[in-house]
Amino acid sequence: QQQVKQSPQSLIVQKGGISIINCAYENTAFDYFPWYQQFPGKGPALLIAIRPDVSEKKEGRFTISFNKSAKQFSLHIMDSQPGDSATYFCAAGGSSNYKLTFGKGTLLTVNP
Amino acid sequence: DAGITQSPRHKVTETGTPVTLRCHQTENHRYMYWYRQDPGHGLRLIHYSYGVKDTDKGEVSDGYSVSRSKTEDFLLTLESATSSQTSVYFCAISGSGDGYTFGSGTRLTVV
């Protein structure tokens, strides 16, 4: 049973555009929602994370929007750049079980 | 990444042989994890540890075992490697159980 569903699988955006990746979770005990960025040949790296006490968190061009009632959260990348081309993973976890469940990933390509 | 190293980085092995992958950390973090990454499946948890000699199974643990005799080392063993275990394996560490730091991965090919 997949507990975190991520969409789309792949996304192509023009330079300067907005990239949006969505995730949905099932377990209401989850209370930590990070996004990871992975470049080819590298391990995933933490990009930004949110907890359910806020509905939005912004760090530079990256924003997480969180909808607790819908059990959904999304990553918005503003002014997308070719250097943002990577695979993005959402994840969800809880302070009670100390492990993260990951979505299947989104391959983002930003064309120059 | 700084503070976590995986070895080897690449390995080719034959079907039926045992294989051990090593994860070493210098952060003194309590939690350590082994994931495998496959196209179309994302990152799937194999085993994790919440302390020395304290380990538990993840969602794809069949055919794998782990050991953690010291805080800094977490070993993943494929008891008898199969072609379905060809994958990229990532170790991750966490001090609090949420924000992970991943290693650079081990690319394992079973022929």
Side-chain angles (χ1 to χ4, degrees), chain B residues 67-82:
Chain B
S67 66
R68 191 170 179 199
S69 59
K70 300 183 292 184
T71 298
E72 56 265 37
D73 289 324
F74 193 32
L75 304 180
L76 176 70
T77 297
L78 288 65
E79 293 141 9
S80 177
T82 68

Side-chain angles (χ1 to χ4, degrees), chain B:
Chain B
D1 281 7
I4 177 172
T5 55
Q6 292 185 233
S7 59
R9 290 297 313 276
H10 303 271
K11 185 170 182 67
V12 179
T13 192
E14 293 186 349
T15 298
T17 61
V19 177
T20 295
L21 309 183
R22 181 182 185 235
C23 179
H24 179 78
Q25 62 146 328
T26 58
E27 304 295 324
N28 200 35
H29 282 340
R30 176 182 179 185
Y31 302 97
M32 299 186 75
Y33 310 84
W34 277 107
Y35 283 84
R36 61 178 288 175
Q37 184 175 20
D38 304 287
H41 292 277
L43 293 157
R44 292 181 292 174
L45 182 64
I46 305 171
H47 281 280
Y48 66 104
S49 170
Y50 45 94
V52 173
K53 297 186 179 179
D54 290 325
T55 64
D56 206 349
K57 296 179 180 180
E59 62 181 299
V60 290
S61 59
D62 288 349
Y64 302 94
S65 63
V66 291
S67 66
R68 191 170 179 199
S69 59
K70 300 183 292 184
T71 298
E72 56 265 37
D73 289 324
F74 193 32
L75 304 180
L76 176 70
T77 297
L78 288 65
E79 293 141 9
S80 177
T82 68
S83 58
S84 65
Q85 294 176 311
T86 292
S87 185
V88 180
Y89 291 85
F90 286 101
C91 176
I93 61 174
S94 173
S96 56
D98 45 33
Y100 288 6
T101 300
F102 281 87
S104 298
T106 294
R107 182 172 296 276
L108 176 68
T109 303
V110 183
V111 298

Side-chain angles (χ1 to χ4, degrees), chain A residues 35-54:
Chain A
W35 286 89
Y36 284 81
Q37 179 188 56
Q38 184 182 31
F39 294 106
K42 303 292 186 181
L46 180 63
L47 185 63
I48 185 172
I50 196 169
R51 296 193 184 272
D53 53 340
V54 296

Side-chain angles (χ1 to χ4, degrees), chain A residues 26-95:
Chain A
E26 300 170 2
N27 189 340
T28 55
F30 289 154
D31 60 4
Y32 176 72
F33 304 91
W35 286 89
Y36 284 81
Q37 179 188 56
Q38 184 182 31
F39 294 106
K42 303 292 186 181
L46 180 63
L47 185 63
I48 185 172
I50 196 169
R51 296 193 184 272
D53 53 340
V54 296
S55 60
E56 185 175 282
K57 183 174 182 179
K58 183 177 181 178
E59 291 184 0
R61 296 184 294 108
F62 300 91
T63 299
I64 298 179
S65 297
F66 182 78
N67 186 329
K68 187 175 181 179
S69 61
K71 293 189 287 185
Q72 295 175 347
F73 58 110
S74 60
L75 176 68
H76 292 64
I77 305 175
M78 311 299 289
D79 186 27
S80 298
Q81 299 297 310
D84 297 329
S85 297
T87 299
Y88 293 80
F89 292 96
C90 64
S95 53

